[in-house]
Amino acid sequence: MAPIDVRKGMPSVELSREEFEKRYRSRFADPAFRPLQRQLDAIVAAAWDGYINYRKAPDTRKAGPGFADPDYELSVDWLAGREAILAAQRRHDDADKTPRILLINGSSRSDQTCPGEMSKTWRLVKIAEPVFREMGFAVDILDVSRLTSEFGRNIHPCKSCVSTSMALCHWPCSCYPNYAVGQTDDWMNEIYPLWVAAHGIMIVTPVNWYHAPTGLKAMIDRLVCADGGNPDPTSTHGKKADEAKALELKGWPYPRHLAGRHFAVVVHGDTVGAETLRRSLSDWLTDMSLVQSSRAAEVDGYIGYMKPYATSHQALDEDEDFQEETRNAARALGNAVNLHRAGKYEDPGEGLVDPNPK
């Protein structure tokens, strides 16, 4: 086995008490808080204590049976996230349950905040939804625009633990919440079970500067733990890089936690980038061992090409072909899920030997 080598050397990010307090108090800039300075002083002092002593997970309990180290103290937040995923997997596997579709609105635009108008993506989601319901599916809508319009709704950035070791990337993600540095209200522990419970996933998204919108990309990055992630943080005693490297080098199985689910992708743009993003999303989903439903389930195109943004909704009204392509993508995904559940679908790649395993 290769020697364990953990590289260090980046500059410290620890704040002084003065700088910490300045940043923390900035959250209470509203004049309504001015009469509450005595209470804020006590809150700031408690927050500083949690920060300087790095209480990332203040509430923990022993992992218990079924873990590599049953006596290791695990975050109760992580344990709750794990239980939600296990429950979702049981729903997914129960043949008596109505099959589920996860329908994702990838746009950050919302009429509930600054843009003052709904997104065309939301309209396309609502065009696809009745197709699934008519086919007998239960539909969960994941509206990523809630990140921009709803209080306390966050997807924190991926820290790329997987690049240190796949065994350090826990399933579900154990990086958040991090109470010590105020990284709370993370949405992913609610999002992971939606993916797990789904038999089919349909992503509808616009192009933002050739790429996925910020919120959608944040979710994509945080789903890395679904593709080979470690379901037992006690095996690395939390985030111990040397233990994770040793565990991976012994031979890591790279469990595909979302394998076998079918997908559809609809990408729309106004000038450029739709085909590029559609291919990127398809590649990402396929790499996670999700299954392409059919060519009809992957759509890219332009709505109001090179026309004013101010009339883009009217352009969608008039583009009945793109609306129908969206419905066809939903139909193709629904058909693939039904064939799979009936035992009539066979993945042509099933059982092939990976010539370049990770």
Side-chain angles (χ1 to χ4, degrees):
M1 187 173 72
I4 304 303
D5 182 11
V6 178
R7 305 295 178 95
K8 304 258 187 195
M10 296 180 72
S12 172
V13 293
E14 185 174 301
L15 303 179
S16 67
R17 170 67 187 262
E18 180 182 15
E19 181 61 25
F20 175 87
E21 186 164 337
K22 177 183 174 182
R23 294 188 190 184
Y24 198 88
R25 287 186 182 275
S26 69
R27 305 178 183 191
F28 305 97
D30 190 319
F33 290 106
R34 289 175 186 166
L36 304 173
Q37 289 308 304
R38 182 180 299 173
Q39 293 92 328
L40 281 176
D41 289 343
I43 291 171
V44 169
W48 168 255
D49 184 69
Y51 169 76
I52 202 64
N53 291 295
Y54 202 73
R55 287 194 294 276
K56 175 186 175 183
D59 292 323
T60 63
R61 69 167 175 81
K62 291 187 185 302
F67 289 92
D69 183 352
D71 291 326
Y72 183 77
E73 294 284 333
L74 277 177
S75 161
V76 296
D77 293 299
W78 186 86
L79 286 165
R82 173 181 181 267
E83 181 51 44
I85 282 176
L86 293 175
Q89 187 66 54
R90 289 191 293 270
R91 288 197 301 274
H92 175 275
D93 296 341
D94 189 342
D96 294 329
K97 297 287 188 183
T98 302
R100 307 194 74 83
I101 299 293
L102 177 59
L103 184 52
I104 299 173
N105 169 32
S107 175
S108 299
R109 186 174 172 212
S110 169
D111 59 7
Q112 303 298 306
T113 187
C114 306
E117 186 176 45
M118 73 169 70
S119 66
K120 295 181 292 297
T121 312
W122 176 255
R123 290 181 57 193
L124 292 171
V125 163
K126 299 304 285 184
I127 285 171
E129 181 186 10
V131 174
F132 292 122
R133 296 200 185 278
E134 288 165 10
M135 295 179 77
F137 293 104
V139 180
D140 295 309
I141 294 180
L142 175 55
D143 180 8
V144 176
S145 77
R146 291 167 63 187
L147 290 168
T148 64
S149 59
E150 186 177 315
F151 176 80
R153 188 65 69 186
N154 300 302
I155 296 178
H156 294 293
C158 177
K159 298 177 184 177
S160 300
C161 296
V162 65
S163 292
T164 294
S165 166
M166 190 76 247
L168 197 64
C169 183
H170 299 144
W171 169 250
C173 177
S174 66
C175 293
Y176 305 101
N178 185 333
Y179 294 96
V181 292
Q183 294 169 337
T184 59
D185 301 313
D186 187 64
W187 197 7
M188 288 306 298
N189 269 354
E190 297 177 40
I191 290 175
Y192 291 133
L194 293 175
W195 279 76
V196 172
H199 298 84
I201 291 96
M202 181 171 180
I203 299 175
V204 187
T205 184
V207 179
N208 285 11
W209 279 119
Y210 291 87
H211 296 287
T214 304
L216 178 61
K217 184 58 168 64
M219 181 189 69
I220 289 170
D221 288 351
R222 292 287 304 284
L223 277 161
V224 65
C225 56
D227 189 48
N230 182 357
D232 185 356
T234 74
S235 65
T236 57
H237 293 96
K239 292 290 185 176
K240 292 190 181 296
D242 55 346
E243 292 187 20
K245 284 175 179 278
L247 189 60
E248 183 179 19
L249 290 173
K250 286 179 182 177
W252 189 252
Y254 298 97
R256 309 285 187 171
H257 299 291
L258 297 175
R261 290 156 178 82
H262 291 262
F263 71 85
V265 174
V266 175
V267 178
H268 66 93
D270 47 63
T271 55
V272 290
E275 182 179 4
T276 300
L277 179 55
R278 189 263 302 165
R279 286 179 171 176
S280 294
L281 291 172
S282 178
D283 286 348
W284 163 61
L285 291 161
T286 303
D287 283 350
M288 289 204 300
S289 296
L290 278 78
V291 182
Q292 294 169 305
S293 298
S294 76
R295 183 63 187 88
E298 296 183 37
V299 175
D300 62 79
Y302 297 95
I303 299 170
Y305 180 71
M306 296 294 287
K307 298 291 180 65
Y309 294 109
T311 57
S312 62
H313 273 287
Q314 291 94 318
L316 178 55
D317 290 340
E318 296 165 4
D319 198 339
E320 295 182 4
D321 290 340
F322 199 87
Q323 293 180 42
E324 194 61 27
E325 281 190 283
T326 300
R327 293 188 188 95
N328 281 339
R331 293 179 186 119
L333 174 58
N335 287 338
V337 171
N338 282 334
L339 287 170
H340 187 105
R341 285 174 61 84
K344 297 179 180 179
Y345 178 91
E346 293 186 8
D347 182 354
E350 186 71 27
L352 298 182
V353 176
D354 187 348
N356 187 29
K358 291 181 180 178

